């Protein structure tokens, strides 16, 4: 089963990150594409921090292919056009072996369709959650370490109905992420007996959403599927000011400190949100104990970024060269059973097993990563709530 296409639009900048040199004629270079500017700019640095930590750990344990693992980042601006330019530089100028990213779904699709498909480059996104990625025509090159919003929408619907929230109004940012999430939520919520009083798109980048909010007052329970430091903040602030809503709900894109900028925290106390989570177990405990400059273990999508970068490096080591050819097959080999378990940080162990011809199976910070035919993974969705002006994780949604 392969996949299909879509889009989104700003300019790309590139920034190079490399750990101490280990060798000049071996090693590999990977890329990272994320929205360092644009609507998710506050969410991107901690996600990048997860990938950076992998590079640091690997180079401290001897590097990849006996040499240095380098990481070069580029700004996709959560936009298909900008991401295509970023991918062109990483793939055709920097000659990266594979890419961690992008983050927004339209950004990933734009980057991959721009240069990834023609270049035969493996992409592993830690954050592109829209269902559109499942059907992207990609020659088995695009993967993600976060579950699809087809799952998050169902889990959010289940959560709201379990809390006795029987009607909602939805406003979503008009892109692949927003529409895909809203469609999944509305379908599951209606099937569960809830009433969707309104389900309307809004455009990113506006200063005033009062007209849109006026069309959502059929329910006092407002679901905002957008980004924390962009339209999500503005819509939430103006919804609070209107006094027309009593319950506020958000998806993973809303989980960030910037969401509450300019908003009385008491007015949104108890705000409900969801995002990808992780099961309990040794792999997660190991990951959560990691520390490093610019790294926050529980930041939204940081675990998934760590896993994406670690898997990409494992696949390069398994493939035996920095060539792009054969990398997708190697990725599937190192990410699924059968094989000896490799946990976060266990690079030396993984390399020794690969060199000995022993199968390995990486179990990551986000749990098991057995990619299906579309490059998707199962996952866990967790509930969060705003308490005392901050997001607090409440646990997995059953």
């Amino acid at each position: 089963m392969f996949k299909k296409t879509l889009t989104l639009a700003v300019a790309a900048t590139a920034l190079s990150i490399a750990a101490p040199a280990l060798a000049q004629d071996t090693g590999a270079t990977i890329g990272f594409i994320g929205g360092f500017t644009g609507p998710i700019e506050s969410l991107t640095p901690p996600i990048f921090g997860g990938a950076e930590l992998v590079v640091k750990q690997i180079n401290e344990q001897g590097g990849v292919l006996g040499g240095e693992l380098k990481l070069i980042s580029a700004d996709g601006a959560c936009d298909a056009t900008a991401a295509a330019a970023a991918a062109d530089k990483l793939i055709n100028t920097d000659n990266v072996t594979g890419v961690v990213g992008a983050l927004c779904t339209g950004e990933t699709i734009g980057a991959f369709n721009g240069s990834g498909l023609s270049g035969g480059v493996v992409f592993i996104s830690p954050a592109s959650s829209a269902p559109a990625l499942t059907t992207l025509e990609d020659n088995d090159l695009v993967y993600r370490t976060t579950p699809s919003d087809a799952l998050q929408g169902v889990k959010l619907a289940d959560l709201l109905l379990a809390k006795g929230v029987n009607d909602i109004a939805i406003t979503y940012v008009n892109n692949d992420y927003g529409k895909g999430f809203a469609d999944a939520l509305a379908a599951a919520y209606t099937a569960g007996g809830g009433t969707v009083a309104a389900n309307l798109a809004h455009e990113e980048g506006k200063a005033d959403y009062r007209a849109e909010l006026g069309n959502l007052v059929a329910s006092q329970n407002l679901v905002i599927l957008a980004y924390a430091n962009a339209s999500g903040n503005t819509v939430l602030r103006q919804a609070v000011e209107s006094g027309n809503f009593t319950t506020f709900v958000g998806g993973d894109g809303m989980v960030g400190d910037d969401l509450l900028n300019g908003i009385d925290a008491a007015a949104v106390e108890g705000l409900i949100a969801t995002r990808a989570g992780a099961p309990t177990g040794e792999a997660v405990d190991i990951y959560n104990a990691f520390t490093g400059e610019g790294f926050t273990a529980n930041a939204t999508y940081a675990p998934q970024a760590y896993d994406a970068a670690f898997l990409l490096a494992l696949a390069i080591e398994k493939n035996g060269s920095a060539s792009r050819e054969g990398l997708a097959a190697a990725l599937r080999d190192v990410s699924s059973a059968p094989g000896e378990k490799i946990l976060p940080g266990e690079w030396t162990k993984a390399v020794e097993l690969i060199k000995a011809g022993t199968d390995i199976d990486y179990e990551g910070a986000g749990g098991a990563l057995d990619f299906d035919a579309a490059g998707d993974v199962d996952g866990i969705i967790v509930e969060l709530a705003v308490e005392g002006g901050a997001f607090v994780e409440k646990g997995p949604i059953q």
Side-chain angles (χ1 to χ4, degrees):
M1 171 182 173
F2 296 130
K3 313 180 191 172
K4 160 161 110 217
T5 86
L6 266 156
T7 35
L8 235 48
V10 172
T13 58
L15 137 84
S16 179
I17 292 132
L22 299 171
Q24 299 301 315
D25 55 351
T26 55
T29 301
I30 60 175
F32 178 100
I33 298 174
F36 291 96
T37 62
I40 64 165
E41 62 182 26
S42 67
L43 301 178
T44 297
I47 300 173
F48 183 49
E52 284 185 298
L53 180 62
V54 168
V55 173
K56 179 175 183 292
Q57 290 178 339
I58 287 174
N59 285 334
E60 287 174 348
Q61 295 179 56
V64 66
L65 302 174
E68 180 184 9
L69 178 62
K70 297 179 182 178
L71 176 65
I72 301 175
S73 72
D75 184 12
C78 193
D79 174 89
T81 302
D88 177 64
K89 178 187 181 298
L90 289 176
I91 292 168
N92 297 317
T93 300
D94 298 319
N95 295 312
V96 299
T97 299
V99 172
V100 174
L103 305 185
C104 297
T105 302
E107 184 183 37
T108 296
I109 293 172
F112 179 73
N113 285 341
S115 300
L117 181 59
S118 60
V121 180
V122 168
F123 277 56
I124 310 177
S125 173
S128 295
S129 56
L133 207 65
T134 299
T135 53
L136 180 69
E137 294 175 358
D138 68 351
N139 277 352
D140 200 32
L141 292 170
V142 178
Y143 300 79
R144 55 180 160 191
T145 52
T146 190
S148 166
D149 286 333
L151 174 63
Q152 188 175 186
V154 169
K155 290 298 186 180
L156 179 52
D158 291 346
L159 177 65
L160 294 176
L161 292 168
K163 290 179 177 292
V165 179
N166 296 317
D167 62 83
I168 56 174
I170 304 170
T171 180
Y172 61 89
V173 62
N174 192 17
N175 62 19
D176 301 335
Y177 164 72
K179 186 176 189 312
F181 197 165
D183 287 350
L185 169 61
Y189 189 76
T190 302
T195 298
V196 179
N199 187 5
L200 303 173
H202 67 262
E203 300 301 324
E204 187 63 87
K206 295 178 62 176
D208 190 340
Y209 292 100
R210 293 177 179 86
E212 288 88 340
L213 287 166
N215 293 321
L216 296 165
V217 294
S219 173
Q220 291 187 322
N221 306 309
L222 181 62
V223 180
I224 306 169
L225 303 178
Y227 304 120
N229 67 306
S231 64
N233 168 265
T234 308
V235 171
L236 180 61
R237 175 168 46 81
Q238 292 175 357
V240 169
E241 291 168 356
S242 76
N244 291 324
F245 306 96
T246 57
T247 302
F248 299 101
V249 182
D252 49 348
M254 297 283 279
V255 182
D257 293 340
D258 282 5
L259 180 66
L260 302 184
N261 285 348
I263 298 173
D264 177 9
V268 293
E269 181 76 8
L271 180 150
I272 301 163
T274 55
R275 70 177 180 188
T280 57
E282 185 181 7
V284 176
D285 291 343
I286 289 171
Y287 168 80
N288 285 335
F290 290 153
T291 59
E293 186 177 352
F295 173 72
T296 304
N298 67 348
T300 298
Y301 290 122
Q304 289 75 20
Y306 181 95
D307 288 343
F310 206 94
L311 277 171
L312 192 55
L314 284 174
I316 291 169
E317 188 71 35
K318 172 73 174 182
N319 203 32
S321 78
S323 169
R324 297 167 184 168
E325 186 176 354
L327 191 61
L331 174 62
R332 289 191 176 275
D333 283 345
V334 300
S335 62
S336 58
E340 187 164 338
K341 288 292 182 189
I342 297 297
L343 304 179
E346 293 187 336
W347 181 254
T348 300
K349 175 182 175 181
V351 170
E352 290 173 351
L353 290 170
I354 288 170
K355 287 180 177 178
T358 304
D359 286 338
I360 63 171
D361 177 13
Y362 176 69
E363 183 174 329
L369 293 158
D370 297 333
F371 295 111
D372 66 13
D376 288 346
V377 294
D378 289 331
I380 290 173
I381 303 299
V382 297
E383 173 190 358
L384 300 98
V386 171
E387 297 180 353
F391 280 99
V392 176
E393 188 170 312
K394 311 300 286 186
I397 302 170
Q398 303 303 323

